[in-house]
Each structure stands twice: as C-alpha cells, then as structure tokens.
Amino acid sequence: MALLSVRNLSHTYPNGYQALKNVSFDVQAGEFLVIIGLSGSGKSTLLRCVNRLIEPSSGAVVINEQDVTHIVGEPLRKHRASIGMIFQHFNLIGRHTVIQNVLYGALGETPTWKSVAGAFTQQQRERAQHNLTITGIPEKTNNRADSLSGGQQQRVAIARALMQQPQLLLADEPVASLDPATSHSVMRYLDRINKEMHTTVICNLHFLSLVREYATRVIALRAGELVFDGMPDAITEEWFKAIYGDDAVQVEIR
C-alpha cells in the first residue's frame, strides 16, 4: 500500500494559469523522493496540493487510503498537522528565540488558548530541544532566530517540522537560498531523518548533483506535466535536456 497516491492531479490558479496537468504517481513509505524541473514547472504547487495548502482543481490526493483532496475544517487541520513542511525561505519569526520557533511546530497539537499564551508542556519543550540536537544546533536554543546563518535557520525550520512527528516531510527547495557547502549540510540532515527516523521525504531540488547523492527516486515535471519517473542514475544527458531544455547546463554542488 502506498503512503501517498496522487491521481490525475491538476490545478489551475484563478488567473487561468494551469500549474499541474493530470499528474499521477505513488510514494512508498520510507522513500526519499526528489522532484525536479524548471522554475514554474509545478513543483511547489504539487507539494502545496499534497499538504492541502491549496485545493486541487481536479484529481485526487490519497494518504494512507484516505482521500484528502477536498477535506475541510478539523480533518484538514489534522491532515496539515501530520505533514511536516520546510520552505525555501525558512519562515521563521526572526525576533523570537530558536526554541520558540521550534515549539511553534507543536501548535497543531496544542489548544488555542495555550498556544496564544505560549504555554507549551515540559514534554514539548524537551522534544524541541531533542530536535535541535538532531539538527546539530542545540547550543542555539536561546538565540534570536534572525541572528543565525541561513543554514542554521534552515535547520531550525527542520527541527520545527519534526515537532509534528510527521510520517511525511515535504521540503520545497530547502537549499535554494544557501551556499554550496551549507546545502550539503542541510541535505545530510534530511537524509538522516529519512534513514534513521524512517520518515518519508519528498523534496523539490534544482541541482542534479544533490539529486544523485540523496534521492532514492526522482520524478520530473515540465510545464505542469510528469515527464520522468525513475532512479537518479537514469537521468542521462538526453533526459536532462528533455526535462530542462536544450540550452540547459548542469551545475554541480560539491
């Protein structure tokens, strides 16, 4: 049984732009699936349809045999709380401390009045500190988030996502704002979470050198359509051109 099934998924924005066109694929538990494609190919829209930040125009998103395509209210809140999300630009509150930002990942399991008051439990605080240890920055607990480097901020964002204890972790261009050396550091933490914590990861990436090192499987989108589904080493130069265009040049991150 697939953890995630995407079936004939399409999404058209209010301005008429069709970002996804009849996309179908399955994801098995434990995979590290990477989605590649040009900017504007539909990668971010696809992740946002999976965690239901946006509602698909047609098709279906099924997780653990539950159709979540059009759920609303409390079922939608629970669905979003069960899926970790990491963004390109971190989405931290800069003036708040690192530990506060990590604890915000537990808001989905915290009553509203407690979250407004910042009344997190001792168990949640211990879990937050543990997640900072997993991501390699336990010493930054009481620093302001905006005092950290970009790579450190992304690790805070990963620790925040882990607070949800997700079965599925989505990462939308998690290293696009980082320098090459830091990019590998962040990817290694995602790889560790996948392998050691048995968390399924779906990650949007641009650089094939990272894809080949970390992905267990790759799908590619072009103009909203699925054009490749296979192993990283199957992306030949011909496939690269088919996905990115004849003028594209591979850039490696070492």
Side-chain angles (χ1 to χ4, degrees), residues 177-194:
S177 302
L178 306 177
D179 59 68
T182 306
S183 295
H184 272 291
S185 174
V186 168
M187 289 302 301
R188 279 193 290 269
Y189 284 109
L190 292 178
D191 186 59
R192 178 183 174 190
I193 290 164
N194 171 248

PDB file of all heavy atoms in Angstrom, residues 177-194:
ATOM      1  N   SER A 177      18.355  28.873  -1.100  1.00  0.00           N
ATOM      2  CA  SER A 177      18.859  30.140  -0.570  1.00  0.00           C
ATOM      3  C   SER A 177      20.217  30.005   0.102  1.00  0.00           C
ATOM      4  O   SER A 177      20.699  30.958   0.719  1.00  0.00           O
ATOM      5  CB  SER A 177      17.853  30.714   0.438  1.00  0.00           C
ATOM      6  OG  SER A 177      16.592  30.916  -0.151  1.00  0.00           O
ATOM      7  N   LEU A 178      20.840  28.821  -0.025  1.00  0.00           N
ATOM      8  CA  LEU A 178      22.063  28.544   0.722  1.00  0.00           C
ATOM      9  C   LEU A 178      23.258  28.394  -0.209  1.00  0.00           C
ATOM     10  O   LEU A 178      23.118  28.095  -1.394  1.00  0.00           O
ATOM     11  CB  LEU A 178      21.883  27.255   1.542  1.00  0.00           C
ATOM     12  CG  LEU A 178      20.658  27.204   2.464  1.00  0.00           C
ATOM     13  CD1 LEU A 178      20.587  25.850   3.151  1.00  0.00           C
ATOM     14  CD2 LEU A 178      20.697  28.335   3.493  1.00  0.00           C
ATOM     15  N   ASP A 179      24.465  28.572   0.358  1.00  0.00           N
ATOM     16  CA  ASP A 179      25.681  28.368  -0.419  1.00  0.00           C
ATOM     17  C   ASP A 179      25.943  26.868  -0.545  1.00  0.00           C
ATOM     18  O   ASP A 179      25.366  26.054   0.187  1.00  0.00           O
ATOM     19  CB  ASP A 179      26.872  29.072   0.242  1.00  0.00           C
ATOM     20  CG  ASP A 179      27.132  28.564   1.655  1.00  0.00           C
ATOM     21  OD1 ASP A 179      27.547  27.388   1.805  1.00  0.00           O
ATOM     22  OD2 ASP A 179      26.918  29.329   2.610  1.00  0.00           O
ATOM     23  N   PRO A 180      26.806  26.458  -1.487  1.00  0.00           N
ATOM     24  CA  PRO A 180      27.002  25.027  -1.752  1.00  0.00           C
ATOM     25  C   PRO A 180      27.382  24.193  -0.537  1.00  0.00           C
ATOM     26  O   PRO A 180      26.830  23.107  -0.327  1.00  0.00           O
ATOM     27  CB  PRO A 180      28.122  25.033  -2.806  1.00  0.00           C
ATOM     28  CG  PRO A 180      27.936  26.324  -3.529  1.00  0.00           C
ATOM     29  CD  PRO A 180      27.509  27.303  -2.468  1.00  0.00           C
ATOM     30  N   ALA A 181      28.338  24.670   0.273  1.00  0.00           N
ATOM     31  CA  ALA A 181      28.775  23.881   1.429  1.00  0.00           C
ATOM     32  C   ALA A 181      27.635  23.679   2.419  1.00  0.00           C
ATOM     33  O   ALA A 181      27.442  22.586   2.960  1.00  0.00           O
ATOM     34  CB  ALA A 181      29.960  24.564   2.113  1.00  0.00           C
ATOM     35  N   THR A 182      26.867  24.727   2.646  1.00  0.00           N
ATOM     36  CA  THR A 182      25.739  24.650   3.571  1.00  0.00           C
ATOM     37  C   THR A 182      24.631  23.770   3.010  1.00  0.00           C
ATOM     38  O   THR A 182      23.931  23.089   3.751  1.00  0.00           O
ATOM     39  CB  THR A 182      25.192  26.061   3.866  1.00  0.00           C
ATOM     40  OG1 THR A 182      26.269  26.885   4.317  1.00  0.00           O
ATOM     41  CG2 THR A 182      24.138  26.024   4.941  1.00  0.00           C
ATOM     42  N   SER A 183      24.491  23.767   1.692  1.00  0.00           N
ATOM     43  CA  SER A 183      23.459  22.947   1.062  1.00  0.00           C
ATOM     44  C   SER A 183      23.635  21.478   1.412  1.00  0.00           C
ATOM     45  O   SER A 183      22.680  20.780   1.778  1.00  0.00           O
ATOM     46  CB  SER A 183      23.506  23.122  -0.460  1.00  0.00           C
ATOM     47  OG  SER A 183      23.173  24.434  -0.830  1.00  0.00           O
ATOM     48  N   HIS A 184      24.861  20.978   1.331  1.00  0.00           N
ATOM     49  CA  HIS A 184      25.117  19.581   1.677  1.00  0.00           C
ATOM     50  C   HIS A 184      24.837  19.333   3.153  1.00  0.00           C
ATOM     51  O   HIS A 184      24.318  18.266   3.524  1.00  0.00           O
ATOM     52  CB  HIS A 184      26.561  19.203   1.347  1.00  0.00           C
ATOM     53  CG  HIS A 184      26.727  18.711  -0.052  1.00  0.00           C
ATOM     54  ND1 HIS A 184      26.211  17.508  -0.494  1.00  0.00           N
ATOM     55  CD2 HIS A 184      27.338  19.267  -1.128  1.00  0.00           C
ATOM     56  CE1 HIS A 184      26.511  17.328  -1.763  1.00  0.00           C
ATOM     57  NE2 HIS A 184      27.195  18.390  -2.178  1.00  0.00           N
ATOM     58  N   SER A 185      25.155  20.285   4.000  1.00  0.00           N
ATOM     59  CA  SER A 185      24.910  20.124   5.429  1.00  0.00           C
ATOM     60  C   SER A 185      23.417  19.923   5.694  1.00  0.00           C
ATOM     61  O   SER A 185      23.015  19.001   6.418  1.00  0.00           O
ATOM     62  CB  SER A 185      25.417  21.350   6.193  1.00  0.00           C
ATOM     63  OG  SER A 185      25.060  21.275   7.558  1.00  0.00           O
ATOM     64  N   VAL A 186      22.594  20.767   5.092  1.00  0.00           N
ATOM     65  CA  VAL A 186      21.147  20.656   5.282  1.00  0.00           C
ATOM     66  C   VAL A 186      20.624  19.358   4.681  1.00  0.00           C
ATOM     67  O   VAL A 186      19.809  18.654   5.289  1.00  0.00           O
ATOM     68  CB  VAL A 186      20.435  21.879   4.670  1.00  0.00           C
ATOM     69  CG1 VAL A 186      18.922  21.645   4.592  1.00  0.00           C
ATOM     70  CG2 VAL A 186      20.731  23.131   5.491  1.00  0.00           C
ATOM     71  N   MET A 187      21.096  18.993   3.497  1.00  0.00           N
ATOM     72  CA  MET A 187      20.629  17.759   2.861  1.00  0.00           C
ATOM     73  C   MET A 187      21.009  16.534   3.680  1.00  0.00           C
ATOM     74  O   MET A 187      20.254  15.551   3.731  1.00  0.00           O
ATOM     75  CB  MET A 187      21.200  17.648   1.452  1.00  0.00           C
ATOM     76  CG  MET A 187      20.621  18.638   0.452  1.00  0.00           C
ATOM     77  SD  MET A 187      18.817  18.514   0.268  1.00  0.00           S
ATOM     78  CE  MET A 187      18.629  16.818  -0.277  1.00  0.00           C
ATOM     79  N   ARG A 188      22.166  16.572   4.338  1.00  0.00           N
ATOM     80  CA  ARG A 188      22.569  15.431   5.167  1.00  0.00           C
ATOM     81  C   ARG A 188      21.615  15.234   6.340  1.00  0.00           C
ATOM     82  O   ARG A 188      21.348  14.093   6.740  1.00  0.00           O
ATOM     83  CB  ARG A 188      24.015  15.604   5.646  1.00  0.00           C
ATOM     84  CG  ARG A 188      25.051  15.209   4.604  1.00  0.00           C
ATOM     85  CD  ARG A 188      26.437  15.084   5.198  1.00  0.00           C
ATOM     86  NE  ARG A 188      26.986  16.382   5.584  1.00  0.00           N
ATOM     87  CZ  ARG A 188      27.714  17.154   4.791  1.00  0.00           C
ATOM     88  NH1 ARG A 188      27.980  16.764   3.552  1.00  0.00           N
ATOM     89  NH2 ARG A 188      28.186  18.303   5.210  1.00  0.00           N
ATOM     90  N   TYR A 189      21.108  16.334   6.898  1.00  0.00           N
ATOM     91  CA  TYR A 189      20.139  16.195   7.986  1.00  0.00           C
ATOM     92  C   TYR A 189      18.827  15.607   7.480  1.00  0.00           C
ATOM     93  O   TYR A 189      18.217  14.765   8.146  1.00  0.00           O
ATOM     94  CB  TYR A 189      19.914  17.541   8.680  1.00  0.00           C
ATOM     95  CG  TYR A 189      21.066  17.917   9.585  1.00  0.00           C
ATOM     96  CD1 TYR A 189      21.926  18.952   9.257  1.00  0.00           C
ATOM     97  CD2 TYR A 189      21.329  17.191  10.754  1.00  0.00           C
ATOM     98  CE1 TYR A 189      23.001  19.279  10.064  1.00  0.00           C
ATOM     99  CE2 TYR A 189      22.405  17.507  11.565  1.00  0.00           C
ATOM    100  CZ  TYR A 189      23.236  18.551  11.220  1.00  0.00           C
ATOM    101  OH  TYR A 189      24.309  18.856  12.022  1.00  0.00           O
ATOM    102  N   LEU A 190      18.383  16.026   6.302  1.00  0.00           N
ATOM    103  CA  LEU A 190      17.176  15.427   5.726  1.00  0.00           C
ATOM    104  C   LEU A 190      17.390  13.946   5.438  1.00  0.00           C
ATOM    105  O   LEU A 190      16.493  13.122   5.662  1.00  0.00           O
ATOM    106  CB  LEU A 190      16.790  16.171   4.443  1.00  0.00           C
ATOM    107  CG  LEU A 190      16.309  17.616   4.601  1.00  0.00           C
ATOM    108  CD1 LEU A 190      16.026  18.228   3.236  1.00  0.00           C
ATOM    109  CD2 LEU A 190      15.070  17.687   5.494  1.00  0.00           C
ATOM    110  N   ASP A 191      18.574  13.607   4.963  1.00  0.00           N
ATOM    111  CA  ASP A 191      18.904  12.215   4.683  1.00  0.00           C
ATOM    112  C   ASP A 191      18.902  11.397   5.972  1.00  0.00           C
ATOM    113  O   ASP A 191      18.398  10.263   6.000  1.00  0.00           O
ATOM    114  CB  ASP A 191      20.278  12.154   4.009  1.00  0.00           C
ATOM    115  CG  ASP A 191      20.643  10.749   3.548  1.00  0.00           C
ATOM    116  OD1 ASP A 191      19.881  10.187   2.735  1.00  0.00           O
ATOM    117  OD2 ASP A 191      21.686  10.226   3.982  1.00  0.00           O
ATOM    118  N   ARG A 192      19.433  11.956   7.025  1.00  0.00           N
ATOM    119  CA  ARG A 192      19.460  11.263   8.311  1.00  0.00           C
ATOM    120  C   ARG A 192      18.043  11.041   8.836  1.00  0.00           C
ATOM    121  O   ARG A 192      17.711   9.953   9.348  1.00  0.00           O
ATOM    122  CB  ARG A 192      20.272  12.084   9.326  1.00  0.00           C
ATOM    123  CG  ARG A 192      20.321  11.462  10.712  1.00  0.00           C
ATOM    124  CD  ARG A 192      21.074  12.346  11.685  1.00  0.00           C
ATOM    125  NE  ARG A 192      20.997  11.812  13.042  1.00  0.00           N
ATOM    126  CZ  ARG A 192      21.389  12.467  14.134  1.00  0.00           C
ATOM    127  NH1 ARG A 192      21.903  13.692  14.023  1.00  0.00           N
ATOM    128  NH2 ARG A 192      21.286  11.916  15.319  1.00  0.00           N
ATOM    129  N   ILE A 193      17.199  12.053   8.711  1.00  0.00           N
ATOM    130  CA  ILE A 193      15.807  11.933   9.156  1.00  0.00           C
ATOM    131  C   ILE A 193      15.099  10.837   8.370  1.00  0.00           C
ATOM    132  O   ILE A 193      14.322  10.054   8.918  1.00  0.00           O
ATOM    133  CB  ILE A 193      15.092  13.294   8.999  1.00  0.00           C
ATOM    134  CG1 ILE A 193      15.637  14.284  10.039  1.00  0.00           C
ATOM    135  CG2 ILE A 193      13.576  13.148   9.135  1.00  0.00           C
ATOM    136  CD1 ILE A 193      15.297  15.727   9.738  1.00  0.00           C
ATOM    137  N   ASN A 194      15.375  10.759   7.088  1.00  0.00           N
ATOM    138  CA  ASN A 194      14.784   9.725   6.248  1.00  0.00           C
ATOM    139  C   ASN A 194      15.251   8.333   6.657  1.00  0.00           C
ATOM    140  O   ASN A 194      14.429   7.421   6.845  1.00  0.00           O
ATOM    141  CB  ASN A 194      15.138  10.013   4.783  1.00  0.00           C
ATOM    142  CG  ASN A 194      14.757   8.892   3.838  1.00  0.00           C
ATOM    143  OD1 ASN A 194      15.619   8.218   3.275  1.00  0.00           O
ATOM    144  ND2 ASN A 194      13.472   8.658   3.661  1.00  0.00           N
TER     145      ASN A 194
END
